[in-house]
Amino acid sequence: MRPAAGPAALADDLAAVGRVDGVRLTVRRTLATGDLLVRADHALPARGAAALLERLRARADVAWAGRETRLRADTDPVPPVAWDLHDPVGGVYADAAWATGADGAGVTVAVLDTGVTRHHDLAGRLRAGYDFVSAPDDARDGDGRDPDATDQGDWAEPGDCGPEFRPSSWHGTHVAGTVAARDEGGVAGLAPGARVQPVRVLGRCGGTTADLVDAIVWAAGGRVPGVPDNPTPARVLNLSLGAPGPCDPATQAAIDDAVARGATVVVSAGNAGADAAQQTPASCAGVLTVAASTVDGERAGYSNRGTAVELAAPGGDREHGVRSTVDTGRTVPEGDGWAAYAGTSMAAPHVSAAVALLLDRRPDLRPAETSALLTATARPSARPDECRCGAGVLDVDLALRAATGRPGTTTRLLVRAGVRPGEPTVENAGVRLAGTLSRLGTGLPDWDPSGVPLRPVDRTGPYRTVLTVPAGTELAYKYTLGDWAHVEQTWTDSDAGCVDVADRTVTAGAPGTVQVVADLTTGFRGVPPCDR
């Protein structure tokens, strides 16, 4: 809550409101934003707690009051797959970005999460952080807040926060690896030259908004009562966490403070498959809210969506997850490991790392400018109205080109082909692009019917691929099902029935831009209605 009166009036407020429900209310601590964390001396039923909050809000000397929300990490373990950095359809084009010399050197990314364990892929990548988990039982280090941001394990015994045992996730270590791991035989982060500052806000059963508020302010270089100042404030804050509900005033105030200090705040959209506007802190103003995309470059089904989302980034699914650093222990840390997880928690650190690469080349950029660069260069979804994932999928190569004023020599061509749905022959064979593909400079031969495979967005299509084409190049092309016996045809009203379509053509646009080619096929030779 936030008081609008002095200490004496506040004590009277709390005493008067508490007497109605027979509860004693005390101020536990003052947050970095000036808001107060108030505790009751015993638990209240949901209806009673709601009524108490309404009585507090009704008082003229209380600016706002709300529940302390329990936050959780947005992740789901999946089988190991690696694709997020390099896949031409679903990846972020890391190789081209690194070729510019950008690696995030000199940029600190604060990871507000479960903390980080020792891992050889993160050796030399970490700055001193802080543990903001205030409840000793949840922190599992015996003393609540302290300068040690090591992940002690967030496992839960039956009855702690659910009926079943839940092993430690090592969530913060996974996020940190996606940002800045140096590939020492394991995985590489997108910004391997950046430094990660672990800021621990999640422990057993998650974390609280009160701890998060102080952590956001501290990570960006603000003052927090009772906590030493951060000697290395971060330019990027990664928040791969969330809870249901709108953004509360204290969290918004903390984010406003961080952004005013020049920090870009990146937040996971959440994994409920719902509107991100109903998730905090994803719905807060001034943040970069990130949905999760799959290897096919589309929003993952579990990912939140909507107008609160700025863009998507690789978060994966159960078949293709994001592989990164973890610990092998089921409860406490035991040793180095790697695992593929899926979630918007995995998507957000790709964007945080992309911001670090931009700041490497352009340290003068402000948060609004980094957001504009990333959204202006994202690759659109094949179905934007259904995706509702902001500008599209992160393309860090194009973002760097735009940031440095060096557009390069190539254009990103997003090719989309609509097909007749429900045809087993098409679904089994898959759609291919054949044409003058030698002009791409990748060694592909011209007019090979097996050409470039397109990926189905879902079982009803459309099919899509992404090509990197020399700017100004004209391509001639057709679609096939992998051979000339099943080339693209169109239906005519004449006795000829279906005939082969004329060569399609496209001219690649300006360098450093994204160009969408949306085609609609009528049919293929040998496939209804062209099977006669």
Side-chain angles (χ1 to χ4, degrees):
M1 64 171 281
R2 182 175 300 163
L10 172 63
D12 291 342
D13 282 341
L14 297 179
V17 171
R19 276 196 297 271
V20 176
D21 291 294
V23 64
R24 184 168 178 267
L25 302 176
T26 56
V27 176
R28 183 70 173 269
R29 70 172 185 270
T30 302
L31 306 187
T33 53
D35 297 280
L36 304 179
L37 177 62
V38 176
R39 289 275 193 251
D41 62 352
H42 63 267
L44 291 172
R47 184 174 298 179
L52 185 147
L53 286 171
E54 286 300 320
R55 283 192 289 276
L56 277 173
R57 295 178 188 129
R59 301 185 72 90
D61 48 4
V62 174
W64 79 276
R67 282 179 176 272
E68 184 184 32
T69 304
R70 176 66 66 168
L71 303 158
R72 298 190 187 281
D74 296 321
T75 184
D76 190 21
V78 296
V81 180
W83 55 274
D84 52 312
L85 301 183
H86 313 297
D87 186 87
V89 177
V92 300
Y93 286 80
D95 286 329
W98 294 335
T100 68
D103 68 356
V107 181
T108 297
V109 180
V111 172
L112 283 67
D113 215 290
T114 63
V116 174
T117 59
R118 293 171 61 104
H119 196 292
H120 75 263
D121 277 351
L122 295 173
R125 298 297 89 212
L126 303 180
R127 291 202 184 279
Y130 207 83
D131 178 4
F132 277 89
V133 180
S134 54
D137 288 345
D138 292 340
R140 288 207 164 98
D141 56 7
D143 60 357
R145 291 184 172 184
D146 59 53
D148 183 5
T150 301
D151 189 344
Q152 306 294 333
D154 61 352
W155 81 94
E157 299 292 345
D160 282 349
C161 39
E164 298 179 355
F165 173 82
R166 188 181 67 201
S168 291
S169 65
W170 314 115
H171 190 271
T173 304
H174 195 282
V175 170
T178 299
V179 173
R182 297 189 79 96
D183 189 357
E184 301 292 341
V187 296
L190 178 55
R195 295 296 185 91
V196 169
Q197 183 170 67
V199 183
R200 193 169 180 235
V201 296
L202 302 176
R204 183 189 64 164
C205 302
T208 68
T209 49
D211 288 343
L212 177 65
V213 163
D214 284 351
I216 291 170
V217 172
W218 183 87
R223 302 295 301 275
V224 177
V227 177
D229 290 348
N230 183 356
T232 55
R235 291 292 307 276
V236 190
L237 275 60
N238 188 93
L239 280 62
S240 287
L241 47 78
C247 183
D248 64 85
T251 302
Q252 185 63 66
I255 289 168
D256 291 345
D257 180 84
V259 173
R261 294 176 185 277
T264 298
V265 182
V266 180
V267 181
S268 58
N271 294 348
D275 191 342
Q278 300 304 314
Q279 182 89 354
T280 186
S283 60
C284 295
V287 303
L288 255 174
T289 299
V290 185
S293 56
T294 67
V295 69
D296 297 319
E298 297 297 319
R299 178 176 59 83
Y302 59 78
S303 174
N304 284 355
R305 58 192 182 274
T307 56
V309 174
E310 272 71 39
L311 77 166
D317 54 27
R318 287 188 175 275
E319 292 184 17
H320 300 90
V322 174
R323 189 169 184 264
S324 188
T325 46
V326 295
D327 194 273
T328 57
R330 281 180 56 79
T331 54
V332 298
E334 293 183 3
D336 294 354
W338 298 266
Y341 289 170
T344 57
S345 279
M346 286 60 257
H350 287 91
V351 173
S352 293
V355 175
L357 295 183
L358 293 178
L359 293 173
D360 175 334
R361 303 287 93 175
R362 288 279 310 279
D364 61 303
L365 290 172
R366 302 293 295 175
E369 293 171 315
T370 61
S371 176
L373 284 165
L374 293 175
T375 54
T377 54
R379 302 192 304 275
S381 163
R383 291 176 169 172
D385 292 342
E386 293 184 20
C387 187
R388 299 183 64 205
C389 53
V393 176
L394 171 69
D395 191 316
V396 68
D397 168 40
L398 295 185
L400 277 167
R401 294 199 224 175
T404 58
R406 299 172 181 172
T409 61
T410 58
T411 303
R412 205 79 79 221
L413 208 63
L414 277 62
V415 180
R416 183 176 71 208
V419 300
R420 183 186 180 92
E423 176 52 58
T425 304
V426 175
E427 293 177 2
N428 292 335
V431 177
R432 303 290 181 121
L433 182 74
T436 54
L437 301 183
S438 64
R439 299 178 186 181
L440 301 181
T442 58
L444 289 171
D446 286 341
W447 296 109
D448 178 353
S450 62
V452 175
L454 278 70
R455 299 181 189 172
V457 173
D458 56 36
R459 287 188 60 82
T460 62
Y463 286 72
R464 70 178 313 211
T465 193
V466 180
L467 304 176
T468 300
V469 182
T473 299
E474 182 179 272
L475 293 180
Y477 66 98
K478 290 181 179 181
Y479 297 106
T480 79
L481 300 185
D483 54 46
W484 292 123
H486 296 91
V487 69
E488 181 184 2
Q489 290 195 316
T490 185
W491 173 260
T492 69
D493 291 331
S494 68
D495 292 340
C498 287
V499 297
D500 291 355
V501 299
D503 292 352
R504 298 179 184 268
T505 60
V506 61
T507 300
T513 62
V514 176
Q515 183 176 346
V516 177
V517 177
D519 294 324
L520 183 64
T521 66
T522 301
F524 295 88
R525 186 188 298 164
V527 180
C530 297
D531 56 342
R532 297 190 297 275

